[in-house]
Amino acid sequence: TTTVLNTPIEQISGIYIYMPKNVTFAIGDVVEITGNLNVRLIEKNRNILSLDVGDYMIIGIENSFRVLMAKTRTIAISRLLKWLPGDTGALAAGILVGGSDFMSKNGQIAFQRAGITHVVAASGYNVTVVASWATLILERWLNKFLVMYIGILSIILYIFLAGGTASV
């Protein structure tokens, strides 16, 4: 059966899409993908859907706040990785905005073995650290109401950079 999917790929749940390795999409691309939808048995009474791509076409660009957040996060991380290359920069990026996507496979395995993967997960703790530092630095020079508003603004900025995930 040939199926046409007219949805951003990350919104398609439960379907594994197999794209050629040389295909890349930019953040915000809206893609139309056609191909064969297959049901594959992985365990008794448990199937997965996979789409073997026959053709794809970028049909538009999504301009939303979510895409703006993702692009801003990507730019911030790439600049950080230029300044601190390798797993050092990936660790800093994970601590600052969450995620281990930029860490090498060996680095990810080392974190898992040590049981410290939570260090690179963005969470409410990171929000607390950001707000604490912002207010701690400014409370010496500004009145407490202005410091409070700057603290709130720093939290909003952090949520924006971290990608607005539920854990943040």
Side-chain angles (χ1 to χ4, degrees):
T1 307
T2 301
T3 305
V4 177
L5 302 172
N6 192 5
T7 310
I9 290 176
E10 69 272 2
Q11 290 182 6
I12 301 169
S13 61
I15 300 175
Y16 294 90
I17 300 174
Y18 296 98
M19 296 292 295
K21 292 201 183 271
N22 61 342
V23 175
T24 58
F25 299 111
I27 296 171
D29 284 349
V30 178
V31 182
E32 180 179 279
I33 300 173
T34 59
N36 292 320
L37 190 61
N38 304 303
V39 178
R40 295 188 176 148
L41 180 68
I42 57 171
E43 291 177 4
K44 185 178 180 181
N45 298 327
R46 201 162 155 222
N47 301 321
I48 61 168
L49 294 173
S50 66
L51 181 70
D52 297 326
V53 174
D55 195 21
Y56 64 92
M57 178 174 47
I58 298 173
I59 59 172
I61 297 174
E62 178 186 350
N63 290 317
S64 66
F65 186 69
R66 184 179 60 87
V67 171
L68 178 62
M69 284 189 337
K71 285 181 179 181
T72 304
R73 182 177 192 268
T74 301
I75 290 168
I77 290 172
S78 67
R79 289 186 179 166
L80 181 62
L81 291 173
K82 282 182 184 175
W83 184 56
L84 290 170
D87 280 346
T88 305
L91 174 61
I95 290 170
L96 293 175
V97 294
S100 61
D101 303 340
F102 299 96
M103 194 173 287
S104 70
K105 202 64 169 166
N106 288 338
Q108 290 176 359
I109 291 169
F111 269 67
Q112 288 171 353
R113 285 185 181 156
I116 56 173
T117 55
H118 63 280
V119 170
V120 293
S123 65
Y125 171 77
N126 302 72
V127 174
T128 304
V129 169
V130 168
S132 297
W133 276 101
T135 56
L136 182 69
I137 291 169
L138 297 173
E139 72 183 356
R140 295 180 184 167
W141 299 289
L142 302 173
N143 74 39
K144 63 183 175 182
F145 293 108
L146 187 57
V147 170
M148 180 184 67
Y149 289 118
I150 292 172
I152 292 169
L153 184 63
S154 69
I155 291 170
I156 292 168
L157 179 63
Y158 178 77
I159 291 169
F160 182 78
L161 283 176
T165 60
S167 61
V168 175

